[in-house]
């Protein structure tokens, strides 16, 4: 596990802060709306790398897009550097210079007809950069590990390896000197052999440039290698968050425990989740994980006296600032770590999330 000594103190004011965020989409065939992001609070502090983990379809990409201002929340707010996002065109353009997106598939992010130079310079041109473009492009490529940068200027994406293409995408983000990178499954499409290199690059950028990052991944194992803090998402909600070593060595939410149990290096028997795969247009009442929860089905929740609450009381994490926070009646009852880990929560106000 790689934990950087430069991980920021939890007391530092957040760089990016999401509060009570909801994003809904129209339901299929006129059915109920899909609650893709369903009451999320999340802070990212300066210089911090946060891993957002959870199964496919749990709302990670929608949350990331919302944090980037690419999707306007149905309710709640996103604040950057203490200021709420302003969704007017000019403000958003300025914001997107400070917060850059790195996507999963570098082939899809790069125009096959653009040279590496043009791909990296594009952001500078969009933002009307007034400095020396050639120097800025060269510096960004070098920071992304493509050296000597001039050797790559006239290459086309098809002439590069997958890892080099992802480095070009990262250089295109770095050239604008952002404060935060949002990387959506940044290594999912790469060979195992180059994944480590790209993750090491992200860590180096934090150390060298003080960059913060939100790394979205369905792979909890990846979080071990890169993050200071982990936020585990289930069906639109963050159900556990905390320092990476806390959450991954002593997971408290049954969902986190199940995800960890199926990692190849995990001890013991893997937890096989039963029940229907989650559907954001049909969020269960009570704890949203209850129909699949191994603690409820095994009777442990009954023994702890929380089974009724599991079935009937929705809950969310109150405050993400402590070392470990969980939205689970059983976890709170069986190992209360400080007051106020979670709170029963209510659906958004009737006049809140409607259209998107
Ligand atoms: N534009 C959209 N319109 C309708 N539903 C969407 C849209 N984008 C995402 N969804 C739905 O929202 C849920 C969360 O999707 P997503 O954020 O992509 O999850 P993840 O990144 O965790 O796989 C999924 O059920 C998905 O089908
Ligand atoms: S609240 Fe109950 S059902 Fe939900 S995860 Fe915890 S034990 Fe399982
Ligand atoms: Mg996704």
């Amino acid at each position: 596990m790689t934990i950087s000594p430069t991980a920021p103190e939890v007391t530092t004011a957040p760089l990016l802060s999401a509060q009570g965020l909801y994003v809904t989409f129209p339901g299929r065939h006129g059915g109920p709306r899909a609650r893709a992001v369903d009451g999320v609070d999340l802070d990212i502090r300066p210089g911090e790398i946060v891993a957002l983990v959870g199964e496919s379809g749990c709302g990670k990409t929608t949350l990331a897009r919302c944090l980037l201002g690419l999707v306007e929340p149905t309710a709640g707010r996103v604040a950057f550097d203490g200021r709420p996002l302003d969704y007017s065109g000019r403000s958003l353009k300025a914001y997107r210079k400070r917060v850059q997106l790195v996507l999963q598939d570098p082939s899809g992010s790069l125009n096959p007809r653009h040279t590496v130079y043009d791909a990296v310079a594009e952001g500078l041109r969009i933002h009307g950069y007034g400095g020396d473009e050639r120097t800025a492009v060269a510096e960004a490529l070098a920071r992304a590990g493509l050296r000597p940068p001039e050797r790559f200027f006239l290459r086309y994406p098809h002439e590069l390896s997958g890892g080099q293409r992802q480095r070009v995408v990262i250089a295109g983000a770095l050239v604008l000197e952002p404060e935060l990178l949002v990387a959506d499954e940044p290594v999912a499409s790469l060979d195992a052999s180059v994944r480590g290199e790209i993750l090491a690059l992200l860590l180096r950028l934090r150390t060298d440039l003080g960059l913060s990052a939100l790394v979205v991944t369905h792979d909890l194992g990846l979080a071990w290698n890169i993050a200071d803090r982990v936020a585990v998402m289930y069906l639109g909600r963050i159900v556990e968050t905390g320092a990476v070593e806390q959450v991954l060595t002593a997971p408290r939410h049954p969902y986190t425990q199940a995800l960890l149990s199926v990692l190849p290096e995990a001890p013991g028997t893997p937890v096989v989740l039963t029940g229907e795969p989650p559907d954001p247009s049909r969020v269960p009442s009570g704890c949203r994980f209850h129909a699949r929860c191994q603690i409820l089905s095994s009777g442990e929740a009954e023994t702890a006296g929380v089974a009724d609450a599991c079935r009937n009381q929705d809950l969310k994490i109150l405050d993400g600032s402590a070392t470990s926070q969980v939205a689970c009646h059983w976890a709170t009852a069986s190992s209360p770590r400080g007051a106020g880990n979670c709170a029963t929560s209510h659906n958004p106000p009737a006049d809140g999330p409607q259209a998107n």
Side-chain angles (χ1 to χ4, degrees), residues 15-184:
L15 179 65
L16 183 80
S17 175
Q19 283 169 5
L21 221 54
Y22 290 84
V23 180
T24 65
F25 293 113
R28 285 194 204 105
H29 314 298
R33 293 183 74 84
R35 289 154 58 181
V37 175
D38 200 38
V40 164
D41 299 323
L42 181 69
D43 286 347
I44 303 169
R45 298 178 193 89
E48 184 179 40
I49 299 184
V50 177
L52 178 64
V53 299
E55 289 166 299
S56 184
C58 72
K60 303 180 298 295
T61 293
T62 307
L63 174 58
R65 288 172 59 78
C66 193
L67 297 177
L68 282 154
L70 296 168
V71 173
E72 204 165 333
T74 323
R77 67 164 213 169
V78 177
F80 187 77
D81 217 0
R83 293 215 185 109
L85 282 202
D86 171 351
Y87 292 89
S88 64
R90 255 178 64 187
S91 300
L92 267 190
K93 190 173 168 190
Y95 176 60
R96 294 211 188 107
K97 187 168 177 295
R98 300 177 75 182
V99 180
Q100 285 285 309
L101 175 64
V102 174
L103 286 169
Q104 166 179 351
D105 178 8
S107 309
S109 313
L110 294 171
N111 184 328
R113 290 190 296 274
H114 285 184
T115 61
V116 165
Y117 183 93
D118 284 333
V120 177
E122 188 182 5
L124 294 174
R125 292 169 187 167
I126 290 171
H127 288 276
Y129 180 67
D132 180 345
E133 184 183 278
R134 193 181 158 89
T135 304
V137 170
E139 276 176 12
L141 285 170
R143 280 202 186 112
L146 295 172
R147 298 191 187 90
E150 293 76 11
R151 238 185 63 205
F152 293 90
F153 277 2
L154 297 179
R155 301 248 192 113
Y156 286 89
H158 73 267
E159 298 173 306
L160 304 174
S161 68
Q164 287 174 329
R165 283 198 288 269
Q166 191 59 305
R167 287 176 190 273
V168 173
V169 172
I170 292 171
L174 293 179
V175 77
L176 292 165
E177 301 188 349
E179 290 152 76
L180 175 74
L181 284 186
V182 175
D184 194 352

Side-chain angles (χ1 to χ4, degrees), residues 253-254 287 289-290 293 295-296 301 310 315 328-330:
H253 197 285
C287 164
F289 184 59
H290 86 253
C293 178
I295 296 295
L296 185 59
C310 290
L315 72 172
C328 169
H329 298 295
W330 167 79

Side-chain angles (χ1 to χ4, degrees), residues 294-311 330:
Q294 70 276 21
I295 296 295
L296 185 59
S297 62
S298 69
E300 282 183 70
E302 191 78 52
T303 309
V306 295
D308 277 350
C310 290
R311 293 189 189 95
W330 167 79

Side-chain angles (χ1 to χ4, degrees), residues 2-3 49-51 203 206 222-230 244:
T2 316
I3 304 293
I49 299 184
V50 177
L203 276 172
R206 184 262 292 278
L222 186 148
W224 276 105
N225 294 315
I226 188 160
D228 304 306
R229 205 151 55 82
V230 181
V244 71

